[in-house]
Amino acid sequence: DIVMTQSPDSLPVSLGERATINCKSSQNILYSSNNKNYLAWFQQRPGQPPKLLISWASTRESGVPDRFSGSGSGTDFTLTISSLQAEDVAVYYCQQYYSTPYTFGQGTKLEIK
Amino acid sequence: QVQLVQSGAEVKKPGASVKVSCKTSGYTFETFGISWVRQAPGQGLEWMGWISAYNGDTTYAQNFQGRVIMTTDTSTSTAYMELRSLTSDDTAVYYCARDEWNWYGDYWGQGTLVTVSS
């Protein structure tokens, strides 16, 4: 199974500041035939289901604010929130869908400093 | 708008089975699949498997092989997940998610809490 490891586990950030969450896969999740990274990012607010933010490592879903961006390739990926808003407090998960069983990172809890 | 509405919370005894439903609306059911993901209390997300609503093809995580059955009913645009031989380790919130190609869920149900306790 591909292991997804996020860092940090917890991230305190001041309102208006940048937040950066890292995700590392134990194997390459870039499919060479289409040059796509099989990685998604989700936001989960307390008591809510996960919400898809980004697919293919960097494609923002419709309706997701443009302060959210994804980057990286191969085994190392990053979710960046350019200017933290109060409503961004949540746990963030990365997920690989390169090979089954699809696996998630352990989550990063983003909080206001 | 796309909606996935799941059945209500369940309490089961060890060894029993549970069947969770996921009623969908707002899109053509047969053109997408449904993934199932669970989350134990205070824990992360665990992918259980996927079913095509087009032809019923399934992919199950090895951890659940032989214990989980995913089905769909196209007449009611509803997906089902049945988990057998429950233990306390199966206590979790179970989510369904629309998933076109067995990749990632783009719309999620509200979750169904399944508690396994003697």
Side-chain angles (χ1 to χ4, degrees), chain B residues 43-95:
Chain B
Q43 302 300 307
L45 301 166
E46 180 179 22
W47 181 80
M48 300 180 68
W50 174 88
I51 182 168
S52 165
Y54 173 69
N55 60 13
D57 283 353
T58 54
T59 304
Y60 297 143
Q62 188 69 26
N63 284 353
F64 300 98
Q65 283 278 3
R67 227 170 40 99
V68 68
I69 300 175
M70 297 177 186
T71 56
T72 59
D73 181 344
T74 55
S75 68
T76 59
S77 299
T78 301
Y80 298 90
M81 186 284 298
E82 181 177 15
L83 189 62
R84 302 173 172 175
S85 303
L86 294 168
T87 72
S88 57
D89 290 342
D90 294 314
T91 294
V93 175
Y94 289 77
Y95 293 104

Side-chain angles (χ1 to χ4, degrees), chain A residues 88-100:
Chain A
D88 301 334
V89 169
V91 178
Y92 292 83
Y93 295 94
C94 59
Q95 179 215 332
Q96 66 81 17
Y97 46 99
Y98 183 86
S99 67
T100 58

